[in-house]
Structure formats: C-alpha cells, structure tokens
Amino acid sequence: ADFGPLRGLSAEFALLKPEAYFQRDDPRLAWRSQKGAGGPVLINLIHDVDLLRFITGHEVSTVFASLSSSARQTDVEDTGAVTVVLDHGAVGTFFFSDAAPSPWSYEFTTQENAKYPALPGSDPKDCYHFFGAQRSLAFPSLRRFQYGQEVREPGWDAPLSVEESDVQKHDPITAQMEHFVRVCRREEMPVCSGH
C-alpha cells in the first residue's frame, strides 16, 4: 500500500534540561532565559519544524500556539504546544518542553549523539508520527501501520498490521564528514544545493 496523501503529523520534543544549563549567575549564559534569544522554541523546536518541512515537502501556512513559563518562571517559555496547517491542508501538532523528563525528542529517540545516555527498555521510542491516507509512519523506528490486503473494509473494526524496519544506525557527523571528503575529491555530488 502507498502512504497516500499526508493527513497530519505529530512531533514531540520533551526532555529535562538541568538547572546548570541555565547558570543564572553567569552573564555569558543569560541569553538562555531571555525572551527573543532563548527558550525551546528558538533553540530546539525550530529544528523540528525545519526538518518536518523538509521531510514532507510542504510549507507551513497557518500557526496557532500556546506557551507556558510555569516551570522556571522566566521570561521565556519552557513548555508549549503548536498547531500548524500545511499548504496542502494537513494539520500538525508539536508539543515541546525542556522541563519534563522524557525519552521523546529527536536527540534521545535517534540516539545519534553519544552525549545522551541510552534509553531504558527495548521498545522503540518515536518522536514523530506521520499519518497518511493509506498508512502511518513512526520515526525514527520507521514502523509502518496499515490495514492488510485481507481486510475487506479498512476502518476501526479491522485489525491494523505493523511492518518493522531494521534501522541501521550511523554516526551522522562521521557520515557527513565522509561525504564532505568525497565531494572535495569530486567522487560524488553534494546531497544539498547549498541554498
């Protein structure tokens, strides 16, 4: 089955930044708690939105947001939710917080950065979910959910099936540098245009 038109997506960025990260007595780090300079929207969420624009190939046309700074009582948000409408009508939700212990963030679920400890349990943790007309996809596990061919009428009364993928993990920095070297040697073309 094809994925079908994208109906919607959900994304989560939730983790607990330690208090030392903010070092409120260190003037060099004061920006992390200043409106218009710090906070998880400008430091973290912006990357998730950019990545999802790239993955879907669609632009955001409408945004609704609700923000809270109740965890740290600073001038910047520490938790919030954003709803977006994409240019073709799909709707997406983003929940974010840098004030809650959780495994659901790009950094933790992909386990690409050795800085972060391994997650507990053997079940896959996903931070993005894409909902298509024919199937849905979880990321980064790449688990796909759909109705099987044996289902006469797809819908809530029929069982979903799941397809698992064997996701090969590679250090992205190493892979990027290896690609950069091959580009410099003119062995391959860049994977991005530079625009």
Side-chain angles (χ1 to χ4, degrees):
D2 186 12
F3 186 79
L6 181 68
R7 302 289 195 225
L9 59 92
S10 67
E12 295 171 311
F13 171 84
L15 50 72
L16 180 63
K17 291 181 181 172
E19 284 303 311
Y21 173 85
F22 298 97
Q23 292 289 316
R24 295 180 187 175
D25 57 339
D26 185 341
R28 295 172 301 161
L29 302 179
W31 64 271
R32 291 178 172 171
S33 297
Q34 292 174 347
K35 194 166 200 68
V41 169
L42 291 177
I43 296 172
N44 307 104
L45 183 66
I46 192 168
H47 300 293
D48 290 303
V49 173
D50 190 46
L51 181 59
L52 291 168
R53 287 175 51 237
F54 175 77
I55 289 171
T56 66
H58 290 284
E59 294 297 326
V60 174
S61 60
T62 309
V63 177
F64 307 92
S66 185
L67 307 174
S68 172
S69 59
S70 64
R72 292 192 191 88
Q73 303 294 316
T74 64
D75 290 336
V76 298
E77 75 288 342
D78 49 58
T79 302
V82 176
T83 299
V84 298
V85 179
L86 301 181
D87 57 12
H88 72 298
V91 177
T93 61
F94 295 85
F95 173 80
F96 62 91
S97 179
D98 65 4
S102 155
W104 300 294
S105 68
Y106 183 92
E107 291 79 3
F108 283 175
T109 60
T110 62
Q111 291 285 282
E112 290 180 343
N113 189 335
K115 170 189 184 332
Y116 301 110
L119 297 175
S122 59
D123 61 314
K125 314 298 191 281
D126 292 304
C127 61
Y128 301 153
H129 296 93
F130 300 91
F131 307 100
Q134 278 78 44
R135 67 172 61 185
S136 294
L137 171 74
F139 178 88
S141 71
L142 301 183
R143 290 180 297 166
R144 295 166 310 283
F145 298 86
Q146 70 275 322
Y147 293 104
Q149 293 180 357
E150 73 283 357
V151 173
R152 247 194 268 155
E153 184 178 6
W156 62 25
D157 293 324
L160 281 168
S161 62
V162 63
E163 293 177 16
E164 305 271 346
S165 294
D166 183 24
V167 178
Q168 301 295 317
K169 294 189 179 188
H170 301 284
D171 182 322
I173 304 300
T174 300
Q176 289 174 10
M177 290 310 298
E178 289 170 350
H179 172 66
F180 179 69
V181 168
R182 289 189 300 274
V183 169
C184 291
R185 291 179 178 159
R186 299 178 192 263
E187 296 171 359
E188 61 187 55
M189 295 298 295
V191 294
C192 63
S193 67
H195 297 288

